[in-house]
Amino acid sequence: MVKKLLVIYFILFGFVAYSQSYVLSGKISGDKEALPFATIMVKGTTMGTNSNANGLYTLKLNAGVYEIVYQYIGFTKKTIRVDLNGDKQLNVELIAEGVSLKEVEIKAGEDPSYPIIRKAIKKRKYYLNQVDAYTCKAYIKGLQRINSLPKNLKSLIKISGGDLSDTADMKGVVYLSESESKYHFRKPDDEKEIMFSSKVSGDNKSFSFNQLSDMKMNFYNNLVEISNLSDRPFTSPIHDNAFLFYKFYLLGTITGDGKTINKIKVVPKRKTDPCFNGIIYIQDSTWRITGADLMLTKDAKIDFVDTLYIKQLFSPVLGDSIWMPVTLNFGFDFKAFGFKGKGFFNANIKEYDLAPVYPKKFFKNEVLKVEEGANKKDSLYWETNRAVPLTQEEVNDYRQKDSIAKVRGTDRYKDSVDKKNNRFKFNDAFMGYTYNNSKKNLSISLPGIITNGVQYNTVEGLNLSYRFSINKSYEDYRRYSIYGRSRYGFSNKLWGGELGFNYLIKPEKFRSFGVKLKSIAEQYNQMDPISPLINSLYTLLLNKNYMKIFRETGVEANYYSELVNGVYLSSIVRYMQRDPLKNTTNLLLIDDKHLLFTSNDPRHSFNHDSLFSTNRALTAEITFQIRFKQKYYTMPHQKIISGSKYPKLNVTYKRAFPVLGTSADYDLLSASLNDDIKLGLFGKFSYRLRGGGFLDTKKLYFMDFKYFLGNQTIFNTNDYLSSFRLLPYYIFSADRWFGEAHGEHHFNGFIINKIPLIKKLKVQEVVGAHFLTSNKLDYYYELNFGLEKIFKVIRIDYVLGYAPNTKLNQGFTVGINTSF
C-alpha cells in the first residue's frame, strides 16, 4: 500500500513539475538601443510574444528546453537555446543586418532586384490563395500620445469660458487599450473576429477598437485598402504592374537557417501615387514575402495622420511551406490644428490552426463579436495573460486614469462638476446653454442668439425659431429625447411650434418609436430642398423668393426597427390639416426693378388668389429597407453596421385614407436602389435609381405630389446623389408616375495626381449624370463636372441641364463635400 502511494506521489509530482509555467523575460537591444515590438518566438511553433515600446519582453512557457528566436526587421535574427526550469532573465543584443550582394544574372543597366520582383509577382496569386482557412489568436495594444498643444489653446479656452485645468488631460497618453481576440478566416472572404477581453485606460465601460481585421494588410493583393485613412487603395510592391508604379533597389542578401532573404528597397516613381515607400524582404527560391518595413506619407494622400509606418514579420507555421504573419505593427505621426503626436497599434499573433472545422452557419454576416464581460476582466487576469509587458508610462497611465475614473464616477464629483459647468456664462447667450445632470445622464439644451434660427421669407417676413431638447441616456444604450421648437413670423403675426418625443428602446435592433404634435409652416416639398438661410439671402438681396410654404397642423407617430439582419421596417402615421399661406411682405435690401416676388403658390407664380383650400389628410406610410448580406459588429446592447458589397433596396407604400373628416385619397408605391462600387485605383462609382407611381388618385393635393430635389441657386445643400443642380423646385412635380437615375464617379485623384503643380492642390475630380422622367416631363438630363475636397470640404461643379423645348441650361454650384 505504501509503495502504491509513493508511486502515485512521484507521478503527480512529475506531472506538476512538467506542467509548471515559468517566465522568460529580458530586454532586446540593437546598436545599444532598445528595439520596440521585436518578435520573440519558440522555434518551430507560433508561440511567442513581442517586446514593448522599451524593448522589454516576457514569455510564459512550461518547464523544458526551447530554442528561442529573437527577430527585428533590419537586424540579424538570433536563436538561443534555453533550459527553462525556473523564471529566467535573458537580455539579447541583436546585430544590424550584415548584407552582402551576391551575383545575380541581370540585364544590362537593370538593378538586381528586378528579376527577384518579377518572380515574386509570378508567385503572388499562389501565396494569396495558399491557405483556404485558418484561425489564430491576437493580442493587440494601441496607444496614442499628444506631445505638444497649440500655443494659443489656453487663450481660446479662456475666451470660450472653458476650464483651463482641462488642458492637463490633453497632453501625454490620450488613449491606451489592450484586447485579446480569436480571428477566423475562410476563403474567399469570410471572416469573423471574437474579442474576449478588452481594457481601456480610464474607462472600464468602453471596449477597445483594436481589430486584427483592420491590421491585416495583405501585400499579395494587387491593391491594399486602408479604408479609415484613404478613399483610394494603395498599390502593392508586387502588384502585377508594379514596375509602372515603383523603382526597386537590391540592398543585399541575408542568409541564415539555410535560407537566403533578399532585402529590397521600394520607391514610388511619382510621389503622389498611392504607393508605399520602404523595404520588403523576399525569400530566395520560394519568392515569398517574409517581412516588410514600409510607410505612407501625406504625398500618398492619406488622411488624419502625416505618416503611417507598417511593419510585418512572417514566420513558418507548417514546416517551411506556409508562412503567416506573427507580428503586425502600425505606427503613426499626426499634426493638426497645432496638436502634434504619435501612436501605434501592435498585434502579436499566435496559435495558428490551418485546418479549422466550422459549424454550418458560423460565419453568416457577423464579422466582429465582443463578448459580454470582455471589459470586466480584472488586473490579475491581465497580469497573467498580457502577451506584451507594459512600459512604465503605460503602468502609470492605467494607475492614474483608473484612479481618476473612480473619483469621477462618484456622485459627489459629478455634482461638483455639474455645479460649475451649469453656471450661465455670458457667451452662453450667444452660443447656447446646456444643463447637465451627470448622475442621471440627463441634459437640457437651449439655443443662443447665434444658433437660433433667424430667417426671412415673403410669407412670414422676419421669423424667429427657438429650439430646445431634453436628452436622457442609460448604460445599456437606451435613450430618449423630448424636443420642440417655436416659430413666430413678424409680418403675418403667426405663431407656430412642435413638440416631439423619441425613444430608442432596443439599440441592438435600432428599435425606436416617437410621436409629434405640430402646427407650423413647412415647405411643400417635405425633403426641404431649399435651405432657409439661402432662401433668406436670395430673397433679401436678389429678389428671388424660391421657398413656398403652407401651414401643417396635427399629430404623427413613427416606428423603426430591424426585423432580421439587413431588413428594416419604417412606418409613420400622420393626421394633418393643411392650410394655405400667402405673401404678406415685399421688403428687401437690394431692389431689382426688373424682378418681382412670385406668389406663394408654386404652380401659379403671379396669381396670389389661386392657393388651395384648407384640407385634412390621414396617411400611413410603410417602408422596407433591405441591405443584402449586411455585415455587422455586435457588442453588448449594440449593433454596428459595417456595410455590404450588395445594393440597398427600399420599397415604400403610402396610403391616404378619406376618413375622420379627411379628404385626401390616394395610393403611392415607390422603390429605390443604390450602391457604391469600388473600382480600385480608378475610384468609386455611386448610383441611385428611384421610381414609382400613384396607383389611385381620387383626391390628391399639391403637397401630396411626388417632389424631386431641385436647385435654383448657386449653393447646393442637398445630397449630391439624390438631387438635380439646375432643376426648378416645383413645376415638374409628378402626380401620376416618375423615374429618376443618378450616377457619379469619384476619381479620387486618379487624373489630377498626374498633372504637375495641380496635383499639389490635393483636390479630386468627380463627374456625374442625372436623369428624370415623369408624366409632367418627358425627360430631363444633367451632366456635372466637378472638383471636390477643396480645402478638404468644399466641392464646385460645372453643370449642364437640358429638357425638351428649352435651351441648354448651365451654371456652377458650390457645396459641402459629402463623399467621405
Side-chain angles (χ1 to χ4, degrees), residues 196 216 253 302 743 813:
F196 54 87
K216 282 173 69 262
T253 59
I302 55 176
T813 62

Side-chain angles (χ1 to χ4, degrees), residues 685-704:
F685 176 71
S686 302
Y687 70 87
R688 176 170 282 117
L689 309 174
R690 185 158 46 200
F694 289 89
L695 306 179
D696 185 17
T697 55
K698 292 178 182 177
K699 189 61 177 177
L700 190 68
Y701 293 93
F702 187 68
M703 68 282 297
D704 299 316

